[in-house]
Amino acid sequence: MAGWDRLRMATRARIGLGRAGDALALRDVLAFQMAHAAARDAVHAALELEALAADLAPLAFVAVHSAAPDRATYLRRPDLGRRLPPEEAAKLPAGEHDIAFILADGLSATAVQRHAPALLRAALARLRPYRVAPLVVARQARVALGDAIGAALGARLCVMLIGERPGLSVADSLGVYVTYAPRPGRADAERNCISNIHGQGGLGYEVAADKLAWLAREALTRQLTGVGLKEEMTPLLPG
Amino acid sequence: MTTRTSLAGGERHRFEDLKALLAAASPRRSGDELAGIAAASDARRVAARMALAELPLDAFLNEALIPYEQDEVTRLIIDRHDATAFAPIRHLTVGGLRDRLLAHETDAAFLAALAPGLTPEMVAAVSKLMRNQDLIAVARKCRVVTAFRNTIGLEGRLASRLQPNHPTDDPQGIAAAMLDGLLLGSGDAVIGINPATDNIANGIALTEMLERLRLRHDMPVQGCVLTHVTNAIAMIERGAPVDLVFQSVAGTEGANAGFGVNLALLREAHEAALSLKRGTVGDNVMYFETGQGAALSAEAHHGVDQQTVEARAYAVAREFRPLLVNTVVGFIGPEYLYDGKQIIRAGLEDHFCGKLLGLPMGVDVCHTNHAEADQDDMDTLMTLLGVAGVNFLIAVPGADDIMLNYQSLSFHDILALRGLLGLRPAPEFEAWLERMEMLDPQGRMRALDPGTARLARLVEAG
C-alpha cells in the first residue's frame, strides 16, 4: 500500500496496517507483540549492580532498597516504593552535601542501566564546584524515595535519575527529578522533571545534562524547585 | 453508622459500617488493597456478600457513605433521587434486586423507568453480588440512546471513538490517523483528540481542523478536543466550532476538585455547549471519562471502595445528559487494577453500573505496560462488552496510542467485533460509509488504499 508510506512520514502511529479478514495482518500482530514484550521485559528487569558498578567505575556507590521487597509488590504498592526502611537509611553517610545523585530503577531498570552512567558523568562534569554526596543506587524505587534518601544524606538538593514507564516504541526512557530540600512528604509540584532521555529520538545526554545543570544551579541559588522554578515540564511518573 | 455482622463458615464477621461492608464485598482488587480496605481473606469477602444480600435497599437512602454536608456529589445523589421511580423496588434487599434485574419479565422499559430511582451506591452494591455473566445479561437489557449528528446506542449497533492522537499535535499526523480510522469504519461515536498541548489556542486550532475535515466530506460525526472544560468554555466564547464538551469526572467533590471542576462549572459548560445548537439529530453535547482509582489517587475516596466511588461519578455524568460516557478501565495502572482479570471485571462492572443508571456507556478497553495484561485480555473484554451491548468502544491505530503511551483497541478490533456479533455502525454513519463507496455488498468495510480512496483528501486538508 504505497499511499501509506507518505502518510507515515507524518506520524509514528501504526497506520495502514494490513488485514486478514477483519483482523490485523500477522506481520503487524507480531511486531506489536515484540514491542510489548520489550516493554514488559523492561518493567520486570532487575537492576544489575555489578554491571552498573563496572560502567560507573571509578565512581563507587551505596546500594539501598525501598520497602517493596520485590517487583510484584512494587507494582501493587507504590507507597512501599516511596519508603526507605531504617536499616537502609543507616547505610547513608550524612554530611555537608550540596547535591545527592540517586540512580533508581523505577519502571525501567533497562533505562538506568543503559543511560544513567553517561548522563551522570556529563552532569558531574558540569557541576564540579558543588559538594556532591556519595552516589546512591536505589532498587524498587519510586520518585519520592529520593526524598528519604536525600534527607538521610543531609543533601540540599536531590537529583534522581529514574527509569520511566516503558511505552511500546521506547522501553528505555530515563527521567530526571530534581527536588530542593528533600524530605519525606514533598509533593510532586515541588519537583522539576526532565523526561524522555533515550536514544530513539529522545533527549541526548549532553542536552539533558545542560538542562539538569541549569536546574541544579538555579535550585541551589534560589532555594526552591517545582512550579516556582518555571520549568514547565510534566512529570511522567506518579510520585 | 450501623455495624453489620455475618455468620459464615462458622465464623462471625463484623463490618463497622456500610462502606466497610461494600469494600469487603468487592472482588479482590489492588486499589482497594492499596487503600487498606479490601477483605483480608476470601472467606470474609463472601461473608460480606452474604450480609450485603440481606441489606434492605433503603439503607442507602438513610446512611450516606460520604456525609451530605461534606460532599456535593452526595447532595446531588440524594437530592435527585426519584422516590416514585424507586417505589417498585423499595421493599427489596440488595440480593432481591439482583434477582429482580435478572428476571425474564424485567425488560428495557422497566429498567429505563427505574434508573432515576437508583443511586450509584445501590447499583455498585448489587454489582458486587453479580457474577460477570449477570453483569452482561442485565446490561444487555438496558437501552440508552443518545444523539448529536448521529444516533448512538441503538440495538444491533456498535459505535467507536476514533482517537487520532499525536505526540506534538501535528495536523498532518492527526489527519493521517483519522484517515486510517475512517477507512476502517471507526469514528461514529466521536473523533476525539487528546491534545498534547493543553491550552486554548491549540484547542481552537484542532477544533477548526476537525470542522474543516467534517465539512469537506459531509461526515455525520461529531468532533471533540479533550481539553479541560474551562478551556472549552473559553473556546466557545471565542467562536470556535465546538461540538462536544469533554471532562474527566470522579465520584467525590474532592476528586473532582483535583480535576479542577465542580457541578456549577459543569453546568456552565453544558449550557455553553447547548447554546451553539450544533447537533442535527439530537442535543446531547457532553462527553465524560471516568475510571476506577481516580478518587484514590487524588486521596479523596473517603475510605469508599474504588468501584463504588466510580459509580458515584456516573451520578455526576447523568446530571448533564451526555452523548458519551466511558470508563478508561485499564489506564490507571496495576496499583488499582492489577491484571487482565481485574481489568475485565472492572470493565464489566463500570458498563453495567453506568447503563443501569441510564448512561450511554462506552469503554476504553485498555492497559499499560506495567499491568499484567495483554491484547488477549483486551479481546476478551471487548467481546464480553459487545455481548453486553456496549454503546461504543475506543480505538487507535494498531492499538498503540503514541501520545498517551498505552494500549487500547485497534480499528481492526472494532471491525472484528462488529463482524463477530453482527453489529453495525451508527445508522447515519453507516449511510455515509455507503455513500463514500467504502462498504462491500455484504456491508463490510472494503480494504481501501489511501491512494484510491475518495477520503484521501482528508490529509491534504491539514
Side-chain angles (χ1 to χ4, degrees), chain A residues 12 14 21-23 25 35 37 43 47 57 86 110 120 123 133 154 177 184 193 230 233:
Chain A
R12 286 191 289 111
R14 292 169 196 256
D22 292 323
V43 166
L47 202 52
T110 312
L120 180 66
Y177 286 79
C193 169
K230 299 288 175 209
M233 295 176 187

Side-chain angles (χ1 to χ4, degrees), chain B residues 28 47 56 62 86 109 171 268 270 289 297 344 354 411 435 446:
Chain B
R28 187 174 176 198
N62 302 325
F86 182 57
E268 188 189 333
H270 186 211
E289 280 191 340
S297 71
I344 289 165
F411 303 129
R435 285 203 298 282
R446 295 177 194 276

Side-chain angles (χ1 to χ4, degrees), chain B residues 238-263:
Chain B
R238 295 184 197 182
V242 173
D243 287 344
L244 305 183
V245 168
F246 168 83
Q247 183 57 48
S248 292
V249 295
T252 69
E253 183 177 332
N256 282 324
F259 285 134
V261 297
N262 55 46
L263 295 172

Side-chain angles (χ1 to χ4, degrees), chain A residues 129-186:
Chain A
Y130 293 98
R131 295 167 298 179
V132 175
L135 178 64
V136 177
V137 172
R139 285 179 289 172
Q140 309 298 1
R142 300 269 171 182
V143 171
L145 186 70
D147 295 339
I149 294 172
L153 288 167
R156 294 172 62 208
L157 188 74
C158 168
V159 176
M160 181 182 261
L161 280 54
I162 186 167
E164 296 180 328
R165 191 177 95 189
L168 278 200
S169 45
V170 181
D172 63 340
S173 181
L174 191 71
V176 178
Y177 286 79
V178 183
T179 311
Y180 184 78
R183 60 166 184 264
R186 283 280 178 219

Side-chain angles (χ1 to χ4, degrees), chain B residues 104-417:
Chain B
H104 288 138
E105 54 272 23
T106 298
D107 57 11
F110 178 87
L111 291 170
L114 180 62
L118 292 169
T119 67
E121 289 84 354
M122 293 176 193
V123 170
V126 76
S127 78
K128 296 176 196 298
L129 303 181
M130 298 170 78
R131 283 172 41 194
N132 287 1
Q133 67 158 283
D134 301 343
L135 298 174
I136 294 167
V138 175
R140 187 183 172 87
K141 292 199 259 189
C142 297
R143 191 126 313 282
V144 182
V145 179
T146 56
F148 188 78
R149 273 190 207 99
N150 58 32
T151 312
I152 297 163
L154 295 168
E155 180 138 31
R157 306 275 174 175
L158 172 69
S160 79
R161 168 179 162 194
L162 194 173
Q163 183 170 298
N165 295 342
H166 188 277
T168 60
D169 294 329
D170 177 72
Q172 296 284 323
I174 289 173
M178 269 179 64
L179 176 62
D180 190 44
L182 290 166
L183 289 177
L184 290 164
S186 274
D188 40 355
V190 63
I191 299 175
I193 305 170
N194 298 91
T197 304
D198 196 6
N199 62 38
I200 296 163
N202 190 51
I204 292 175
L206 292 174
T207 302
E208 288 177 344
M209 184 191 93
L210 283 174
E211 178 72 349
R212 281 196 301 277
L213 300 183
R214 179 182 74 80
L215 291 174
R216 174 160 305 163
H217 294 286
D218 193 24
M219 291 190 273
V221 299
Q222 36 280 335
C224 185
V225 176
L226 283 76
T227 186
H228 194 266
V229 276
T230 50
N231 287 350
I233 292 169
M235 286 158 58
I236 290 170
E237 283 168 355
R238 295 184 197 182
V242 173
D243 287 344
L244 305 183
V245 168
F246 168 83
Q247 183 57 48
S248 292
V249 295
T252 69
E253 183 177 332
N256 282 324
F259 285 134
V261 297
N262 55 46
L263 295 172
L265 186 58
L266 293 173
R267 252 175 224 120
E268 188 189 333
H270 186 211
E271 282 159 18
L274 281 173
S275 74
L276 298 183
K277 296 184 166 44
R278 291 171 56 80
T280 51
V281 297
D283 68 345
N284 301 108
V285 293
M286 299 300 285
Y287 174 19
F288 295 112
E289 280 191 340
T290 67
Q292 291 190 28
L296 175 57
S297 71
E299 293 176 7
H301 62 106
H302 296 265
V304 179
D305 71 270
Q306 70 179 29
Q307 189 250 334
T308 301
V309 182
E310 167 74 7
R312 284 168 55 96
Y314 305 153
V316 174
R318 75 172 168 179
E319 180 71 3
F320 304 101
R321 300 191 302 111
L323 180 77
L324 308 163
V325 179
N326 66 263
T327 170
V328 192
V329 70
F331 185 74
I332 194 159
E335 60 267 46
Y336 301 95
L337 295 169
Y338 185 67
D339 55 14
K341 182 179 173 71
Q342 293 189 5
I343 292 171
I344 289 165
R345 171 74 194 181
L348 294 174
E349 289 168 349
D350 293 352
H351 177 252
F352 163 85
C353 290
K355 279 283 173 71
L356 209 55
L357 289 167
L359 287 180
M361 206 63 195
V363 177
D364 190 353
V365 174
C366 64
H367 65 107
T368 58
N369 286 316
H370 59 321
E372 292 293 322
D374 59 22
Q375 296 308 114
D376 287 336
D377 297 306
M378 302 301 101
D379 288 346
T380 304
L381 179 53
M382 78 164 186
T383 306
L384 296 177
L385 287 167
V387 175
V390 71
N391 280 30
F392 70 100
L393 297 170
I394 289 181
V396 304
D400 174 10
D401 189 305
I402 58 169
M403 201 283 279
L404 294 171
N405 282 319
Y406 75 116
Q407 288 81 249
S408 181
L409 297 177
S410 67
F411 303 129
H412 297 69
D413 292 332
I414 303 297
L415 281 191
L417 189 57

